[in-house]
Amino acid sequence: VFNPKHLQKEGTIDTGGHKSTEQMVQYGKYVFTNCWSYDNVILVIDIDTDSVIDEIEVGKQPTSLVIDKNGKIWTITDGGYRGSAYDWEPSSLYRIDAVTRRVEMELTLGLEEHGSQVCINRAGDEVYFISKSIWRMSVDDDRLPATPFIESPTDRPAIFFGLAVNPLNSEVYVADAIDYQQSGMIYRYSADGNLLDSFKAGINPRSFCFR
């Protein structure tokens, strides 16, 4: 627990053995955080008591969280990896009701698809996610889109590793790790999915921040 006003740590929250809390979203007085590495739950934290009061079970390794205009939480699981001691399963996209804390939709992506990140636009009515390619769907849809929003390249090595939507103009930024060893690339697309430009970044670019 960190006080940004005084730039001081004010406490900690016991996560009950869940070690890899990755991202957070808030709904009312509750904060939801996904537990990624070798885990399969989303923790619910009461900010009045700074304590975990519930757990929501999903698939293996939920990678990120967003919340939409309807008060629904979205997460995508990567399913682990082949040969893992934690086993391996298909990636899935989940929609969870923030009030009831129940999974209300699970869309399985496939064993080889490896979902890796989910994000949302400023209006909160469209969700984007990585599953080899970049996909986009309405938060009210109950099935996966038939075709990708942005296709993963087939003529060169590419690993779409990071994703964000600029809240000011809905442009889509995609980070490409290429092979996890060399400097990655950032691709900027229009809201319609047309490539606008690209530039190099460091090794394994992943997250974006807009100001």
Side-chain angles (χ1 to χ4, degrees):
V1 182
F2 186 80
N3 186 324
K5 192 174 195 179
H6 303 293
L7 303 181
Q8 293 179 339
K9 174 184 170 183
E10 295 190 341
T12 59
I13 298 172
D14 184 358
T15 57
H18 299 283
K19 298 177 181 179
S20 182
T21 50
E22 293 284 311
Q23 295 185 7
M24 294 180 285
V25 295
Q26 183 174 350
Y27 184 83
K29 71 167 191 169
Y30 301 105
V31 167
F32 298 76
T33 181
N34 58 307
C35 300
W36 173 68
S37 182
Y38 295 92
D39 215 331
N40 68 332
V41 301
I42 296 169
L43 302 180
V44 185
I45 298 168
D46 186 329
I47 63 174
D48 287 341
T49 61
D50 287 341
S51 61
V52 175
I53 54 97
D54 204 356
E55 295 183 3
I56 304 167
E57 185 174 331
V58 291
K60 294 181 186 298
Q61 301 196 157
T63 67
S64 53
L65 291 178
V66 295
I67 190 163
D68 69 21
K69 66 173 186 176
N70 302 319
K72 310 295 183 180
I73 296 168
W74 293 76
T75 190
I76 192 168
T77 59
D78 66 27
Y81 59 92
R82 193 190 302 271
S84 167
Y86 189 49
D87 208 358
W88 187 40
E89 68 181 17
S91 295
S92 291
L93 181 69
Y94 290 83
R95 187 174 69 205
I96 300 164
D97 189 283
V99 176
T100 64
R101 304 173 199 153
R102 294 184 180 276
V103 173
E104 61 178 28
M105 185 176 70
E106 176 186 354
L107 301 175
T108 302
L109 304 178
L111 194 57
E112 301 291 343
E113 295 306 310
H114 196 74
S116 63
Q117 197 164 5
V118 63
C119 67
I120 200 160
N121 64 348
R122 181 176 183 177
D125 59 5
E126 288 183 328
V127 65
Y128 298 69
F129 60 94
I130 300 174
S131 178
K132 287 189 177 177
S133 297
I134 307 299
W135 303 77
R136 178 178 67 177
M137 60 186 283
S138 166
V139 297
D140 297 317
D141 287 347
D142 58 3
R143 64 184 64 186
L144 294 169
T147 57
F149 174 60
I150 298 169
E151 287 269 12
S152 176
T154 57
D155 59 341
R156 60 172 177 80
I159 299 172
F160 285 168
F161 197 54
L163 177 65
V165 180
N166 189 330
L168 298 180
N169 55 21
S170 297
E171 290 178 349
V172 179
Y173 285 71
V174 179
D176 183 356
I178 303 178
D179 58 7
Y180 299 120
Q181 299 179 52
Q182 61 182 290
S183 294
M185 292 292 298
I186 305 299
Y187 296 96
R188 182 170 66 95
Y189 294 87
S190 70
D192 297 325
N194 297 312
L195 181 63
L196 299 176
D197 63 17
S198 62
F199 52 92
K200 280 192 174 183
I203 296 175
N204 295 347
R206 184 64 182 267
S207 300
F208 299 88
C209 179
F210 301 95
R211 50 175 289 181

